Amino acid sequence: MANQAFSISSLARCLTKADFYANERLSEDDYRNDVLNYALQLSQCDSTEKISIKEVKIGEKIGYTAGNIASRLILRRCKNNIQTSHKITTKNRQAISREIPIYLKEGTPYRVYRLDIKSFFENIPKQFIINSLEENQKLSSQTKKITKKILDSFSEKYGGGIPRGIEFSPALSEIALSSYDKKIQSHEDVFYYARFVDDILIITSSEETEHDFYSWLCNALPPPLKYNITKTKTYTIPRRKKAGASNPNGKLVVKFDFLGYSYSVHDTTLPMKPTGGENENTAGSIYRSVTIDIEERKIDKIKERISKAFFSFAKNSDFELLHDRIRFLTSNRELNKKDEDRRIPTGIYYNYSSIENNSASLKKLDNFLEQSITNTTGRLGRLYATKLSKSNRATLIKITFTRGFERRAHRKFSLNRLKEITRIWL
C-alpha cells in the first residue's frame, strides 16, 4: 500500500502555489505551521471541530468548497489516496471528441444515444460510496474514516448525495458509476461508449430494440440515479445511401451536440458507375463525412460575453479594459489547475481543438465581433458609438477568433487583471 498517512509533511505537500498567492501569510513559517497542525488535528476526527465545507454558486447550480485552507488540505489528501487506491483514470473532453468521428464515419447502420444523468452529484447514494470505500483493501482506514465523517456531516447539513465541487467528489462520482461503465461497455450491441462526469454518449449497432435498450440503460444506473428526460436524445442512422444530385456536398443524416461540440454526419457522393449515377453497392465501404464544430449554445455564450464587454465599455469608457476583454475571448492562456501545481492551456483553440481551421462557428463569431465593433445604429451600438474612436475600432478590427485559433495565440494577464476582465461574466 502506498503511503497514505495524514502527517505534517504529507499535508504540506498538498499546498499549491495558488494557495500562497491567495493567502500571502502562508509564506510565514509560524502561520503555515499553525495551518498544518490544525489540519492534522482535524484529520484525526476525534475533536469537536469539523472539516469545514461551505455553499457556493457554481454556474447555475449550488456547489460547495472547503471553508478554510486546513480543510482543503485534508480533502486534497483524501482525493489523492482515493484516486491512487481505486486506480481512477478518466478520458479528457478532447480525447473523446477525437474518438467519436471514427465511429460516426461508418457507412453501416448505427444508433446514437445521447444521455445526461439528472442532478448527478445530488443523487449519488452516499451509503454506496461508503461501502465501496470500505471494501477497498488498498485504501487506508484513516481516509475511509475522514471521508465517511465528511459525507455524514454533509448529509446532516445539506441533504443527500455528495458535495458538488469539493476536491474528492469527482473521484467519488467515478466510483459510483464504475459498475455502470462496465455494464454498458460489455453489451453486445454497444461498439462505442463515452462518459464525461454525467454526460453520456453511446453508439450501437442499431440491431437492439430502442425501447428495450433504453429500459436496460435505466436499470443499469445505480438507484436513485435517473436520466434527464429533457436531455435524452436518440438518433437512428440507416445504411449509407446515395447523396443524390441535389446534395453535391453530401446529405445530412444526423447532427447532435456533445461536450461543447456539434457533430454533423453527411452521406457524401458515392463513386460513379461506368453507366452513370452513384454506385450504391459501394455504400457500406465508403466512409461518411463528419464535421466537428462548436456547439451553438457555446457560440451564443461567447456572443453574450462580447456584448457584455461592449455594454460595460459604454458605461465606463475604459477602452484598454474592452481591448483586453476581446483579446481574452479570442486567444489562449495557461491557468493553474485547481489543487495541483500544474498549468493547463485554455482558450479558443485549446477549448475547441478538434474543430477545423475553416470552422463555420469561428466565422460566425468573427462576423458578430466585427458587427459589434462597427455597429453605430443598433440599440447597443448607439450607447458607445461616440465613445469608440476610429483608432479604437481599427485596433479591435484586427482581432479575430480565427487568427487566435489558427495561431494558437497566447495572451498573458496578471491575476488581478484576469479578475477585472472576467468580473462582468460571472
Side-chain angles (χ1 to χ4, degrees):
M1 181 188 294
N3 183 5
Q4 298 179 21
F6 287 78
S7 62
I8 292 293
S9 59
S10 67
L11 291 168
R13 286 194 295 273
C14 292
L15 285 166
T16 67
K17 292 178 182 178
D19 294 328
F20 288 86
Y21 190 93
N23 186 348
E24 293 181 358
R25 291 201 63 195
L26 283 171
S27 297
E28 302 171 14
D29 290 344
D30 289 344
Y31 178 80
R32 186 172 64 256
N33 288 334
D34 286 344
V35 168
L36 292 171
N37 279 304
Y38 181 50
L40 182 61
Q41 178 187 341
L42 287 176
S43 71
Q44 303 310 307
C45 296
D46 53 11
S47 67
T48 55
E49 294 189 71
K50 295 181 179 179
I51 295 166
S52 176
I53 294 176
K54 64 181 181 180
E55 195 173 271
V56 293
K57 193 83 179 288
I58 301 179
E60 297 178 354
K61 296 186 177 182
I62 297 296
Y64 303 88
T65 187
N68 52 57
I69 183 63
S71 297
R72 183 169 288 112
L73 296 179
I74 296 169
L75 290 167
R76 287 175 186 166
R77 185 62 175 160
C78 284
K79 180 200 74 171
N80 294 339
N81 291 348
I82 292 169
Q83 283 184 329
T84 302
S85 63
H86 279 266
K87 297 182 179 179
I88 294 172
T89 57
T90 57
K91 286 182 184 176
N92 65 48
R93 177 174 158 270
Q94 302 305 341
I96 293 171
S97 70
R98 289 190 290 269
E99 291 175 349
I100 293 173
I102 297 171
Y103 299 91
L104 297 180
K105 287 179 179 179
E106 291 295 330
T108 53
Y110 58 83
R111 186 173 288 124
V112 177
Y113 294 83
R114 171 72 177 84
L115 307 163
D116 175 271
I117 301 175
K118 186 176 181 179
S119 301
F120 180 40
F121 286 92
E122 294 77 6
N123 287 307
I124 291 176
K126 180 193 74 172
Q127 196 55 48
F128 177 85
I129 295 295
I130 292 173
N131 292 343
S132 297
L133 296 180
E134 285 295 336
E135 291 170 3
N136 184 355
Q137 299 300 314
K138 295 182 179 180
L139 183 64
S140 70
S141 58
Q142 178 119 13
T143 305
K144 295 175 184 177
K145 184 179 180 181
I146 294 170
T147 306
K148 182 179 185 304
K149 186 168 184 178
I150 293 172
L151 294 181
D152 286 342
S153 177
F154 177 78
S155 294
E156 291 173 11
K157 188 173 182 179
Y158 297 107
I162 64 174
R164 177 190 296 270
I166 71 167
E167 283 70 7
F168 64 26
S169 289
L172 297 185
S173 73
E174 291 301 310
I175 293 171
L177 291 181
S178 59
S179 295
Y180 171 85
D181 292 339
K182 292 173 184 176
K183 285 180 184 177
I184 307 304
Q185 290 167 336
S186 63
H187 193 284
E188 61 182 359
D189 286 307
V190 173
F191 58 82
Y192 182 74
Y193 168 69
R195 180 179 61 79
F196 189 79
V197 190
D198 54 359
D199 284 307
I200 298 166
L201 185 81
I202 302 170
I203 304 178
T204 70
S205 64
S206 80
E207 293 180 7
E208 79 287 355
T209 304
E210 183 180 331
H211 177 269
D212 291 346
F213 183 71
Y214 180 71
S215 295
W216 180 81
L217 288 174
C218 291
N219 291 329
L221 275 176
L225 296 179
K226 295 180 181 179
Y227 300 113
N228 190 332
I229 299 299
T230 60
K231 294 183 178 180
T232 296
K233 307 289 183 184
T234 307
Y235 309 90
T236 301
I237 295 84
R239 181 177 181 272
R240 199 189 194 294
K241 296 179 181 179
K242 299 177 183 178
S246 60
N247 299 290
N249 296 321
K251 181 180 179 181
L252 180 67
V253 292
V254 67
K255 183 175 182 178
F256 63 89
D257 299 328
F258 188 59
L259 299 182
Y261 285 109
S262 172
Y263 296 85
S264 300
V265 183
H266 289 83
D267 280 350
T268 51
T269 304
L270 294 170
M272 305 301 287
K273 294 186 290 188
T275 55
E278 295 178 67
N279 185 355
E280 197 165 0
N281 291 331
T282 64
S285 60
I286 303 297
Y287 285 142
R288 292 176 159 113
S289 169
V290 179
T291 302
I292 311 177
D293 220 325
I294 304 174
E295 181 185 343
E296 199 65 37
R297 185 171 55 89
K298 298 293 185 180
I299 296 173
D300 290 341
K301 185 175 182 180
I302 296 172
K303 287 181 177 179
E304 181 183 4
R305 290 185 170 187
I306 293 172
S307 295
K308 284 184 176 180
F310 278 95
F311 183 71
S312 177
F313 170 73
K315 292 191 294 182
N316 61 28
S317 301
D318 188 339
F319 176 72
E320 288 305 316
L321 182 55
L322 171 64
H323 186 215
D324 280 350
R325 282 172 173 158
I326 300 304
R327 291 170 72 232
F328 176 90
L329 291 173
T330 57
S331 64
N332 306 278
R333 66 214 63 87
E334 288 190 337
L335 294 178
N336 283 322
K337 186 171 175 60
K338 183 183 178 183
D339 302 324
E340 295 180 23
D341 276 330
R342 183 164 66 92
R343 298 181 70 80
I344 55 172
T346 183
I348 192 63
Y349 173 78
Y350 294 100
N351 291 351
Y352 303 105
S353 61
S354 294
I355 68 173
E356 297 180 5
N357 289 345
N358 61 350
S359 158
S361 296
L362 291 178
K363 292 174 184 175
K364 280 184 186 179
L365 290 171
D366 284 340
N367 290 338
F368 185 83
L369 177 57
E370 183 179 352
Q371 289 169 8
S372 299
I373 295 167
T374 58
N375 180 17
T376 58
T377 58
R379 186 172 63 178
L380 179 57
R382 286 197 298 268
L383 296 177
Y384 57 82
T386 58
K387 297 182 179 183
L388 200 61
S389 69
K390 187 176 181 180
S391 174
N392 292 158
R393 295 180 196 275
T395 298
L396 293 177
I397 208 74
K398 296 175 183 177
I399 306 172
T400 68
F401 286 90
T402 299
R403 188 176 293 115
F405 180 87
E406 291 179 348
R407 297 181 181 180
R408 305 185 192 182
H410 277 67
R411 301 282 182 261
K412 286 187 177 181
F413 303 98
S414 69
L415 188 57
N416 287 334
R417 191 58 167 174
L418 278 174
K419 289 179 180 178
E420 182 65 14
I421 288 170
T422 58
R423 177 178 52 81
I424 60 170
W425 301 322
L426 299 178

